[in-house]
Amino acid sequence: MWREVLSVIGGAGRALGRTFSVAPPLLLKRRKALGIFEKGLQAQGLDPKAVEELTALYKELGNLEQWLPNSKK
């Protein structure tokens, strides 16, 4: 019984460790993608205000808190 409990705790610890090791690079990639998206819109000659609004919406789409059912609003 204790072996299973320790196995579950160890597995959870490994999962959290992997999550924390993967998160920073993903956040950097997200920031880079936002910049590429904004530059692409500007290159198409869109109004700066429209570019700003579309970039904000694109950023909001990638916000994980909106996809979680218990997120505070």
Side-chain angles (χ1 to χ4, degrees), residues 27 30 34 56-67:
L27 292 174
R30 180 175 178 240
L34 282 169
L57 288 172
Y58 184 73
K59 183 177 181 180
E60 188 177 321
L61 256 177
N63 187 357
L64 293 178
E65 290 179 4
Q66 289 197 334
W67 297 92

Side-chain angles (χ1 to χ4, degrees), residues 15-34:
L16 283 173
R18 287 183 189 138
T19 300
F20 288 120
S21 68
V22 171
L26 289 178
L27 292 174
L28 290 174
K29 287 180 183 181
R30 180 175 178 240
R31 183 180 296 170
K32 185 176 179 181
L34 282 169

Side-chain angles (χ1 to χ4, degrees), residues 3-73:
R3 183 179 290 178
E4 290 85 13
V5 171
L6 291 176
S7 175
V8 169
I9 292 172
R14 284 189 298 276
L16 283 173
R18 287 183 189 138
T19 300
F20 288 120
S21 68
V22 171
L26 289 178
L27 292 174
L28 290 174
K29 287 180 183 181
R30 180 175 178 240
R31 183 180 296 170
K32 185 176 179 181
L34 282 169
I36 292 170
F37 181 77
E38 184 175 12
K39 287 179 184 177
L41 292 175
Q42 291 170 348
Q44 293 194 12
L46 290 175
D47 180 45
K49 185 175 180 178
V51 170
E52 182 180 322
E53 290 177 14
L54 288 170
T55 304
L57 288 172
Y58 184 73
K59 183 177 181 180
E60 188 177 321
L61 256 177
N63 187 357
L64 293 178
E65 290 179 4
Q66 289 197 334
W67 297 92
L68 299 174
N70 296 330
S71 65
K72 297 177 183 178
K73 289 191 177 195

